[in-house]
Amino acid sequence: MGIKYTILGLLQYKDMHGYRIKEHIERNFGHMWSINYGQIYPNLKKLEEEGLITMKEVVQNDEKGPPRKLYSITQKGREEFVRWLESSPEKSMILRDPFLMRFVFFGFGDPDRALELIDEQISVYQEQLGRRQANLQRWKHGSIFVNLIAELGTDMNQMILDWLEKARKELVHHFCTDEAGIKKTVKMNEK
Amino acid sequence: MGIKYTILGLLQYKDMHGYRIKEHIERNFGHMWSINYGQIYPNLKKLEEEGLITMKEVVQNDEKGPPRKLYSITQKGREEFVRWLESSPEKSMILRDPFLMRFVFFGFGDPDRALELIDEQISVYQEQLGRRQANLQRWKHGSIFVNLIAELGTDMNQMILDWLEKARKELVHHFCTDEAGIKKTVKMNEK
DNA sequence: CCTCTCATGTAAGACGTTACATGATTCA
DNA sequence: TGAATCATGTAACGTCTTACATGAGAGG
């Protein structure tokens, strides 16, 4: 349901073909969304059938490069887009993270391995934070909304990193001061 | 793929039947995950076929209440669960939010309506924060991992609220000091 | 000519949601 | 008896992912 309107939104900036749309989404939202051709091409076909976009075939003589299909948003498409844009979002946020799913149950596994997995996550998010901060700079010129979304990306990233560090510290402390004195094998290599 | 292991994880605490599992997930993770019978019952059947859990029918004579199917985790199930638990998560976090999806494109809509939608979000997250903080108290006694996850919930909630307030302020400022002087209809009812 | 990138597409399957059907038990 | 709750299930639908098939153009 969402991709449909994302495509419509992008076509308001400029006419595009499927391949470009994917490229654009990946470049700009790649760290938050993923998209693939299995979603794009069927959605473009559907949007055209609904009269929200129109298609123009570009052949080799027109411009260089292989033939492609250029899509433009129609007036009807613009109207439908604004209707959606100004409607209240029906659903709430969903967050799904295979690491967090495991985390809840880490009590059933080896504490050392848990720390290793936390460290893996920390380096993943550190890398990502760097990329997001770079993007933030790249978009300084852009719309206020795009900028704010980019800021949300870094804010969120920072929050997760803070939480991971906090979790790491608490776990090390928890297993080292264990009254039972059983689980003292935990690695002490704190930074 | 995830629900399968969540069920396995819950069955390590105690034997349960499908209805209880749903109840449990909703009570404890309801603000983060949603689950429904269309996922639970087929997954239980599959887990049983794979020999990771076993089923025992409970009829009216055994205990009060309607007949149900009690599932227990097997040794094989425990092993498979730990294998999964200690494996590195294959995928990264996904966050999908219909509000955020709209937000990027708010430049194409009415600024007043954008502010209204932001205010709607703020009240949604304020309510949620209250519930999450209450849960945090309820779980104080629980495992360190469950506690940390609950803390992540409130941290995240707080971060989003901060961001929404920041976004609201910046937008009000942006549209009131607009050089073109066109969009001065923006509501000034700041708190 | 060969390979890489650009470009469009589809089929199969995993995953998730909604809505409904069914029946037992409990309690007013 | 009738309504609410407990409990199990499935069918239809929609979305998302993976993997593959196809082909044109560009550059070495």
Side-chain angles (χ1 to χ4, degrees), chain B residues 20 40 52 69 78 94 125 150 166 173:
Chain B
R20 275 279 163 281
I40 287 175
L52 304 178
K69 295 180 173 180
R78 270 175 228 277
I94 50 161
Y125 281 103
K166 177 175 73 178
H173 181 263

Side-chain angles (χ1 to χ4, degrees), chain A residues 5-19:
Chain A
Y5 291 101
T6 305
I7 292 174
L8 237 34
L10 290 176
L11 291 181
Q12 296 216 83
Y13 287 106
K14 83 186 280 202
D15 295 352
M16 278 191 253
H17 57 276
Y19 193 85

Side-chain angles (χ1 to χ4, degrees), chain B residues 4-114:
Chain B
K4 183 178 153 182
Y5 291 101
T6 304
I7 291 174
L8 237 33
L10 290 177
L11 291 182
Q12 297 217 87
Y13 287 107
K14 83 186 280 204
D15 296 353
M16 277 191 252
H17 57 277
Y19 192 85
R20 275 279 163 281
I21 291 172
K22 181 168 187 274
E23 208 179 48
H24 194 278
I25 292 175
E26 272 172 357
R27 251 178 83 72
N28 295 313
F29 307 98
H31 13 79
M32 306 186 118
W33 321 95
S34 72
I35 195 102
N36 42 43
Y37 298 124
Q39 291 168 80
I40 287 175
Y41 291 113
N43 268 292
L44 282 171
K45 200 189 245 176
K46 220 172 154 195
L47 281 166
E48 202 194 352
E49 281 164 13
E50 296 175 55
L52 304 178
I53 60 176
T54 53
M55 187 265 282
K56 194 195 145 201
E57 298 225 35
V58 177
V59 280
Q60 60 271 37
N61 296 351
D62 278 21
E63 281 178 53
K64 60 178 181 178
R68 69 212 89 142
K69 295 180 173 180
L70 245 201
Y71 291 94
S72 320
I73 189 166
T74 63
Q75 189 50 34
K76 194 178 161 195
R78 270 175 228 277
E79 284 160 16
E80 172 62 18
F81 181 74
V82 170
R83 196 169 10 252
W84 168 79
L85 191 68
E86 299 189 348
S87 67
S88 295
E90 12 18 274
K91 305 209 170 182
S92 55
M93 196 190 82
I94 50 161
L95 175 108
R96 221 137 281 188
D97 185 341
F99 168 76
L100 261 19
M101 240 179 193
R102 284 167 171 78
F103 191 93
V104 199
F105 296 112
F106 272 178
F108 293 108
D110 172 32
D112 283 349
R113 182 69 188 126

